[in-house]
Amino acid sequence: MKRAITSDAAAHERVIAIGALAARTGVKVETIRYYEQVGLLPAPERSEGNQRRYGRRHLERLAFIRHARDLGFPVETLRGLLALADRPDMPCDEAHRIAARQLADVRRKIAHLRALEAELDRIAQSCLGGAPVRDCAVIEALAKEQRADSVPLGKRDAGSAC
Amino acid sequence: MKRAITSDAAAHERVIAIGALAARTGVKVETIRYYEQVGLLPAPERSEGNQRRYGRRHLERLAFIRHARDLGFPVETLRGLLALADRPDMPCDEAHRIAARQLADVRRKIAHLRALEAELDRIAQSCLGGAPVRDCAVIEALAKEQRADSVPLGKRDAGSAC
DNA sequence: CTTGAACCTCTAGTCACTAGAGGTCGTATC
DNA sequence: GATACGACCTCTAGTGACTAGAGGTTCAAG
């Protein structure tokens, strides 16, 4: 009787545990639980012993999530995308806008990184190594007064977010 | 007598408060305190009323830190760079290596972002908007099976770190 | 002496996970 | 049916590099 909770839903559909879902999608077990926690992936049925049991729908949704994350869509944006995917009759202008915004964001980051690349390249080229630190071009470049065009620290995300 | 703690050190050097240091370097007040907390910026003298008082050395060091962060050096790496800058007699090979590594890292990120850009561009181009979501190329692209060449989620940092 | 901006400490929040402790479940084998 | 053991569970805390806020104190101008 207790087992019926699962088997009712699973009678005509293969159900898998979280580890198998992780293996099939390439998303870590912990991350799957995290997605459930933040509401990206609906909570699945549980086994008699309280273990998660996933079906084909979960597999598809998680693959969708992973692909979108791979493309750099932030989780918040993903929420909107998933909501759209669930309403097949709505026009897709919004989806198009979201993708275009993401593309613009990626391009902005590329531009920023290319500027960094140029400066780092210049610095690295002018230091051949071997000189004492006091004359090192790398250290000197960093110690120099800031350029006027540099972005204020608060608005910048060069290190971790390009 | 108490004031002597500061004025001894400040007698022949202009000292400034944290707000002025922030204004001069473009680093936020909170961030300066954070840098002190994590040991990037040495703890300065304090006024009689326990407020931080900075001198020229702090100004220079903070400018150095900021410039390095602008170039995307992670804080941990910055620690090494600062240690090097403090020993002017050592050869600068290490500084050169650090800069070269950072350059390689930036180039790796650029390459990754350019791949994302290409795919997003392809997706966005094939969706003109106006069609119902069921036929939307954006949604379809995300729902599709993952490509075999995609990086596992755990190793990837597309979203926040390019 | 009063005002109010600037300063102080401490805690918690950000993003998208990741890691670990400490315990339970499922199943294959004996 | 007992046992072993990997997979699973929840909960909490940590990551990087800050950022924001509460609640209180100090400084300097008028």
Side-chain angles (χ1 to χ4, degrees):
Chain A
M1 186 58 204
K2 265 190 170 178
R3 216 165 207 298
I5 295 169
T6 339
S7 52
D8 274 356
H12 41 82
E13 165 165 69
R14 241 171 337 132
V15 294
I16 58 178
I18 198 168
L21 183 65
R24 290 219 202 166
T25 55
V27 178
K28 288 187 185 171
V29 168
E30 294 81 6
T31 307
I32 295 172
R33 285 197 282 248
Y34 167 75
Y35 286 157
E36 179 182 329
Q37 194 189 308
V38 300
L40 277 187
L41 194 62
E45 306 280 335
R46 297 289 184 124
S47 77
E48 212 179 331
N50 199 35
Q51 299 193 356
R52 290 170 180 82
R53 292 294 177 256
Y54 295 96
R56 199 169 49 82
R57 295 248 285 270
H58 289 99
L59 183 66
E60 282 167 6
R61 196 173 176 97
L62 185 54
F64 186 103
I65 291 169
R66 202 213 138 160
H67 199 176
R69 294 288 305 123
D70 278 349
L71 287 170
F73 288 95
V75 165
E76 272 316 300
T77 306
L78 227 156
R79 255 180 245 283
L81 240 19
L82 283 166
L84 277 177
D86 287 342
R87 292 197 212 15
D89 295 327
M90 300 212 60
C92 78
D93 309 72
E94 178 63 9
H96 188 241
R97 254 195 302 279
I98 290 173
R101 217 177 301 137
Q102 177 63 16
L103 180 56
D105 193 52
V106 166
R107 289 190 167 140
R108 204 175 39 72
K109 286 175 177 171
I110 290 173
H112 186 180
L113 281 177
R114 286 171 68 88
L116 293 189
E117 184 196 14
E119 184 159 3
L120 278 168
D121 192 42
R122 187 179 59 71
I123 292 171
Q125 297 258 332
S126 56
C127 170
L128 298 168
V133 163
R134 113 175 63 251
D135 303 323
C136 173
V138 174
I139 300 292
E140 211 172 300
L142 293 173
K144 224 175 286 183
E145 285 297 305
Q146 295 159 226
R147 299 150 299 150
D149 62 347
S150 61
V151 185
L153 257 188
K155 269 121 197 162
R156 173 204 43 101
D157 51 346
S160 58
C162 320
Chain B
M1 187 59 206
K2 265 190 169 176
R3 213 161 211 302
I5 295 169
T6 338
S7 52
D8 273 355
H12 42 80
E13 164 167 71
R14 242 172 335 133
V15 294
I16 58 178
I18 197 168
L21 184 64
R24 290 219 204 168
T25 55
V27 179
K28 288 188 186 172
V29 167
E30 294 82 5
T31 307
I32 295 173
R33 285 196 282 247
Y34 167 75
Y35 285 157
E36 179 181 330
Q37 194 190 308
V38 300
L40 277 188
L41 195 63
E45 305 279 336
R46 298 288 185 124
S47 76
E48 210 177 334
N50 199 34
Q51 299 194 356
R52 291 169 180 83
R53 290 296 178 257
Y54 296 96
R56 199 170 49 83
R57 295 248 284 271
H58 289 100
L59 183 65
E60 282 167 7
R61 195 173 176 97
L62 186 54
F64 185 103
I65 292 169
R66 201 213 140 160
H67 200 177
R69 293 287 306 122
D70 279 350
L71 287 169
F73 289 95
V75 165
E76 272 316 300
T77 306
L78 228 156
R79 256 180 245 283
L81 239 20
L82 283 166
L84 277 177
D86 286 343
R87 291 195 213 17
D89 294 328
M90 302 212 60
C92 78
D93 309 69
E94 177 64 8
H96 188 242
R97 256 195 302 280
I98 290 174
R101 215 177 303 137
Q102 176 64 15
L103 180 56
D105 193 53
V106 166
R107 288 191 167 138
R108 204 175 37 72
K109 286 176 176 171
I110 289 173
H112 186 180
L113 282 176
R114 286 171 70 86
L116 293 190
E117 183 195 14
E119 183 160 3
L120 278 169
D121 192 41
R122 187 179 59 71
I123 292 171
Q125 297 258 331
S126 57
C127 171
L128 298 167
V133 163
R134 115 176 61 252
D135 303 322
C136 173
V138 174
I139 300 292
E140 212 172 299
L142 294 173
K144 224 176 288 183
E145 285 298 304
Q146 296 160 224
R147 298 149 301 149
D149 63 346
S150 62
V151 185
L153 256 190
K155 271 121 197 163
R156 172 205 45 100
D157 52 346
S160 58
C162 318

